[in-house]
Amino acid sequence: MIYKSVPGAQPAALDPCGEHRCARLFPKVRNRSWIDARHLVIDLSSRKVVELGR
């Protein structure tokens, strides 16, 4: 899923997500349950992972 930044509503490390390619993953184990990774945002341009507040 594409992640779009909202200035002031997330950690400052995610502010470039309007210019960088950022994504959130929703992984699923085959024939099993989903893995909760909603708190992670991957900045594909800078190759960094940022954890959102839970």
Side-chain angles (χ1 to χ4, degrees):
M1 175 179 265
I2 296 171
Y3 181 83
K4 295 182 181 179
S5 68
V6 178
Q10 78 270 328
L14 293 175
D15 286 344
C17 283
E19 299 170 15
H20 290 184
R21 298 170 299 139
C22 296
R24 291 176 78 183
L25 299 179
F26 295 92
K28 184 176 190 291
V29 179
R30 188 187 321 197
N31 298 323
R32 300 276 171 111
S33 61
W34 292 88
I35 299 170
D36 186 8
R38 293 176 290 175
H39 63 285
L40 300 175
V41 176
I42 299 97
D43 185 338
L44 301 169
S45 297
S46 68
R47 297 180 177 185
K48 294 181 181 179
V49 176
V50 179
E51 186 172 0
L52 298 173
R54 289 184 175 195

